[in-house]
Amino acid sequence: MKNYQDGGEAILEAFRRLKTDYVISSPGSEWASFWEALARQKRDETNGPKYIDCGHESIAVNMATAYTKITGRLQAVLLHAGAGILQGSMAVDAANSMETPILIMSGEVLGYGEGAFDPGSQWYRNLSVPGGTQRLIEPMVKWTQQVASIDTLHETIVRAGEIAQRTPKGPTYLCVPMETMLEPWDRPGAPRDVPPAPKLQPFAEDIDLIAQYIAAADCPIISVENVGPSKDAFDALVEFAETISAPVVEGQAAFFGNFPKSNDLYLGQNIEPLLDKTDLALLIESRAPWYPPSNTPKNAKIISISENPLKRHMVHQAMHAEDYLEGDVTATLRALNAAVKRIGLDGIKISKRRKKWREKHDAWRTNLAEKEQHGETLPKITTPLVMKTLQEVLSTDCSVVDETIVHQTEIREHLSWDDPLTFFRAPSGLGQGLGYALGVKLALPERTVVVTIGDGSFMYNPVVPSLALSDEHELPLLILIFNNSQYAVMKHFHKRFYPKGVAIEDNDFYGVNIKGPKYEESAAMIGGYGHRVEDPSELRSAIETAYASVKAGKTSVLNIIMPGDGDVR
C-alpha cells in the first residue's frame, strides 16, 4: 500500500478532537491502518491519545469504563470483528448499565478477496457476521452504525462520541470495513472544536417546590447510590445534607463511595430502620432504594433527584417517586441547597435532628468497632479483621475495587472513606474486577489500588492477561482473594428455596464447591509477591509484604483462607 493518510488517520484525528486520552485495544488484523497512523503520530511528535494493547476484550472495555467514570472524559476501545464484540459483550453491557460514555469500534470486510484488496482468508471463512457486526452489540449500546464511506468516517466517529456523552450517557459502537479504512482521506481544513456535553438542570420553580417540601419536613432522609466518583457531586451532597440535617444511607447498588463516613449524618447501608420514621425520602442518584420495590416508606413523600432516574436497562424499576428533579446532580443539589437556605429552616428542629442522627452514627461506628475487636479473638480470618488490618497497613490514599458476593456488605461497612475515590464496586457480572481495577489504577496512578475478590470471582476473571498488562504498563494491584472454597451464594439460595430439602439433609450441594488452584502462585508469572494466609496471626505481615511489593511496582496476590458461608442481603 502507498504511504498516504487514509482511514486510520481519520479515526485517530477524530479521537484527538474528542480529547480521548487512551485507545485501549484487544487487537485484530483490521486495525493496520490505525496502527500506521499511530506510528506517524509518534514519528512526527504529534499530540494524541496513548495506545494500550491488552490480551482480553473485557479488560479493554472495563479499563475504559473505569477511566471514563473517574475522569469524566470519553475513552475509545478497538475490538476485533464480531468475535471481539462477543468476548467483550458482558463488559459492554455493564458500561451501558453504568451509563458510561465510551466509544467502541471493530471492523469487517466487504469484498472477501474478490478484487485487488486481499484482507486474508480468515474473514471469508470465520469472521463475517450476516447483517453486520452491529447486530451483535445493538442491545447493549446506546447507538450503533456501520460506516462504509471514507467521506463520512471521520465526522461519524466524532458524532458517535458526542452521542455517547449526551443524557442518558452510554457506550456507542461503530463498525468500519477494512476497505474504508484503507482509502485515502483528506483532513478537514478547519474542523470545529468539539464542545463538552451540556449540563442540564431543573427549572427554578421546580427547585423551589422541592425546597418547600424539605423545609416543611420533620424527618427527611437521603438514599444515595452513585453520586461518586465525582468530587463536586460528593461535596455538594455533604453541604446539602448538613444544611437540612438529613441522615444519609448508601444503597446496595452503590458502585462508589458517596458520602464521608466520618460525617455524623452517615448511617451505613441499611435504610430499613428509617422507613417508618421518615416523612420525606430524597433519592439522590438512587435507582433501587428499597427491596422489594413495594417496601416503601408508607408515610413519606418520595422525591427522585438524578441526571437520569428511569433506567432503560432495568426490566422493572419502581421507586414510587412523586416528584423528580432531573439534571446534573451537582448543579441540582447546589441550587436546592440555596433555595432551602432562602426559605429558612427551624434552627431548633435542625439542631435536634442533628443530635439524634449523631447518636445513631456513633452507635453504628461502635457496632463496627466491636465486630473488628471480636474478629481479632477468632481462630479464623474474618472480613472485619481483613479490612481493619488492611487500613492500618496501607496509606490513606488507596482505592478498593470490590468483586465479592457474600463478603461485600461487610467490606463496604468496614472500609472507611472520606472521599469518592476510595471505594469502587466492580461492574455487575462476575469476571470484570481485575480489568476495572486496572482502569482505576490508570486513572489514579498515585493511589494504591486494592482488589477484594472472591475465589469464585477470581476464577471468572481473565487472570493471565490482567497480570500481564499490570506488569507491562506498570499498573500494580494488591489482590486479596477472599477464599471460602465455594460459590457460597449458590448454597445460600438453595437453602432458602429448599429449607427442608435433601441437599441440606445430606449436606450434598451442587454448583457450590470450588477446588481451586494455588491462586497465590499466579503472581510469580510476573515476578510479584504471592502468599497463602490461613492463620490470623500472619495476616498483618502478609499484607505488609504484599504492600511493599506493590509499592515497588509489582502486583501481589494474597490467597486468604476464610472458611464459612458468609451472608447475602
Side-chain angles (χ1 to χ4, degrees):
M1 304 297 292
K2 295 180 180 180
N3 185 19
Y4 52 63
Q5 290 191 156
D6 57 17
E9 191 69 38
I11 296 169
L12 183 55
E13 181 62 21
F15 292 159
R16 293 188 189 112
R17 289 179 60 198
L18 289 167
K19 302 176 181 65
T20 298
D21 298 328
Y22 287 95
V23 178
I24 308 175
S25 176
S26 183
S29 56
E30 67 262 47
W31 295 114
S33 62
F34 181 74
W35 296 328
E36 181 69 14
L38 283 174
R40 187 182 298 111
Q41 173 178 276
K42 181 179 179 180
R43 183 199 64 189
D44 297 344
E45 299 182 345
T46 304
N47 290 331
K50 297 177 182 178
Y51 178 82
I52 295 177
D53 267 331
C54 58
H56 198 282
E57 291 80 357
S58 69
I59 298 174
V61 179
N62 288 147
M63 286 185 69
T65 300
Y67 189 96
T68 297
K69 271 293 184 185
I70 292 169
T71 65
R73 298 190 295 274
L74 174 138
Q75 304 306 304
V77 176
L78 303 184
L79 302 179
H80 177 43
I85 290 172
L86 293 173
Q87 189 79 297
S89 60
M90 181 171 67
V92 176
D93 186 61
N96 186 48
S97 298
M98 295 174 75
E99 299 182 55
T100 310
I102 58 176
L103 176 54
I104 304 164
M105 298 174 65
S106 73
E108 64 176 355
V109 302
L110 302 175
Y112 302 103
E114 298 286 7
F117 172 63
D118 181 7
S121 64
Q122 73 274 18
W123 290 92
Y124 173 60
R125 288 183 284 105
N126 303 320
L127 296 176
S128 63
V129 178
T133 55
Q134 59 270 26
R135 291 184 64 233
L136 303 177
I137 200 172
E138 190 171 12
M140 295 168 283
V141 296
K142 181 179 177 181
W143 183 79
T144 178
Q145 186 62 48
Q146 182 195 68
V147 190
S149 170
I150 191 65
D151 299 316
T152 59
L153 175 61
H154 176 77
E155 287 295 342
T156 300
I157 295 170
V158 173
R159 178 173 178 249
E162 291 190 282
I163 289 173
Q165 297 175 81
R166 292 306 195 274
T167 303
K169 298 171 184 175
T172 52
Y173 168 77
L174 294 175
C175 170
V176 186
M178 290 177 69
E179 290 89 339
T180 301
M181 287 190 271
L182 292 168
E183 288 186 39
W185 177 71
D186 295 323
R187 186 190 305 269
R192 67 183 174 93
D193 187 40
V194 178
K199 294 183 178 180
L200 310 178
Q201 63 184 79
F203 289 118
E205 53 264 36
D206 295 328
I207 292 283
D208 290 340
L209 176 63
I210 303 306
Q212 291 170 19
Y213 292 151
I214 294 171
D218 290 321
C219 186
I221 66 171
I222 294 172
S223 168
V224 61
E225 288 180 1
N226 293 309
V227 160
S230 165
K231 187 177 186 308
D232 288 342
F234 186 93
D235 291 344
L237 176 58
V238 173
E239 184 179 1
F240 174 66
E242 290 185 335
T243 295
I244 67 173
S245 195
V248 177
V249 177
E250 288 187 299
Q252 286 181 266
F255 284 108
F256 316 100
N258 299 280
F259 198 81
K261 289 193 172 184
S262 62
N263 191 295
D264 55 21
L265 291 171
Y266 186 86
L267 294 187
Q269 301 175 67
N270 187 9
I271 200 171
E272 291 285 332
L274 301 176
L275 295 183
D276 291 336
K277 299 178 174 64
T278 182
D279 58 350
L280 181 65
L282 301 169
L283 313 182
I284 302 179
E285 287 295 0
S286 184
R287 63 186 172 90
W290 26 71
Y291 183 82
S294 59
N295 184 34
T296 61
K298 303 307 179 188
N299 301 306
K301 191 174 187 65
I302 300 170
I303 312 293
S304 173
I305 302 172
S306 173
E307 185 175 66
N308 176 46
L310 302 176
K311 307 303 185 185
R312 59 188 178 169
H313 69 274
M314 295 179 68
V315 174
H316 179 62
Q317 182 192 21
M319 298 178 291
H320 301 278
E322 298 167 65
D323 281 288
Y324 293 89
L325 291 179
E326 296 188 28
D328 179 72
V329 170
T330 302
T332 301
L333 288 176
R334 287 173 177 167
L336 194 55
N337 193 50
V340 169
K341 288 181 175 180
R342 284 195 302 271
I343 293 172
L345 300 175
D346 185 328
I348 296 176
K349 183 191 294 186
I350 291 293
S351 180
K352 288 182 177 179
R353 281 210 300 250
R354 191 65 179 256
K355 181 177 183 295
K356 178 175 67 172
W357 300 130
R358 184 181 298 115
E359 291 171 354
K360 295 290 186 182
H361 172 82
D362 290 345
W364 169 77
R365 289 184 71 98
T366 299
N367 181 53
L368 292 183
E370 289 173 351
K371 289 180 179 179
E372 291 169 2
Q373 291 168 6
H374 179 62
E376 294 177 318
T377 68
L378 298 176
K380 66 178 182 178
I381 298 175
T382 64
T383 302
L385 178 63
V386 173
M387 299 312 295
K388 180 177 186 292
T389 307
L390 178 71
Q391 292 173 98
E392 289 173 349
V393 172
L394 268 62
S395 67
T396 54
D397 288 334
C398 75
S399 297
V400 174
V401 178
D402 178 52
E403 194 176 26
T404 62
I405 299 298
V406 297
H407 303 98
Q408 65 173 306
T409 298
E410 287 191 312
I411 287 172
R412 291 183 198 227
E413 288 279 85
H414 290 273
L415 175 64
S416 296
W417 62 70
D418 281 321
D419 67 22
L421 300 175
T422 298
F423 173 76
F424 296 87
R425 175 65 186 174
S428 180
L430 295 180
Q432 304 180 72
L434 296 183
Y436 197 76
L438 289 166
V440 172
K441 182 63 177 177
L442 187 67
L444 303 171
E446 73 286 354
R447 288 194 169 226
T448 299
V449 176
V450 180
V451 182
T452 54
I453 188 169
D455 51 328
S457 300
F458 192 73
M459 295 275 274
Y460 284 132
N461 272 262
V463 174
V464 173
S466 294
L467 295 179
L469 191 145
S470 165
D471 196 49
E472 178 184 356
H473 292 280
E474 299 180 344
L475 301 172
L477 305 175
L478 175 50
I479 302 172
L480 306 181
I481 300 175
F482 287 48
N483 186 352
N484 57 9
S485 298
Q486 59 179 317
Y487 294 106
V489 70
M490 315 299 189
K491 181 189 290 186
H492 172 89
F493 285 107
H494 191 137
K495 291 165 71 174
R496 178 188 292 185
F497 301 150
Y498 297 93
K500 298 180 180 180
V502 175
I504 292 178
E505 183 179 339
D506 295 351
N507 193 29
D508 185 23
F509 291 94
Y510 294 83
V512 171
N513 298 317
I514 301 174
K515 183 175 174 55
K518 297 177 180 178
Y519 302 111
E520 68 277 10
E521 294 185 0
S522 60
M525 293 188 294
I526 55 171
Y529 173 73
H531 190 69
R532 173 187 169 99
V533 191
E534 190 164 5
D535 188 333
S537 66
E538 298 176 357
L539 180 63
R540 176 178 293 274
S541 62
I543 292 178
E544 289 174 342
T545 306
Y547 180 44
S549 175
V550 171
K551 296 295 283 184
K554 288 292 183 180
T555 288
S556 295
V557 179
L558 293 185
N559 182 11
I560 305 176
I561 308 304
M562 302 174 66
D565 292 346
D567 194 17
V568 179
R569 278 175 55 193

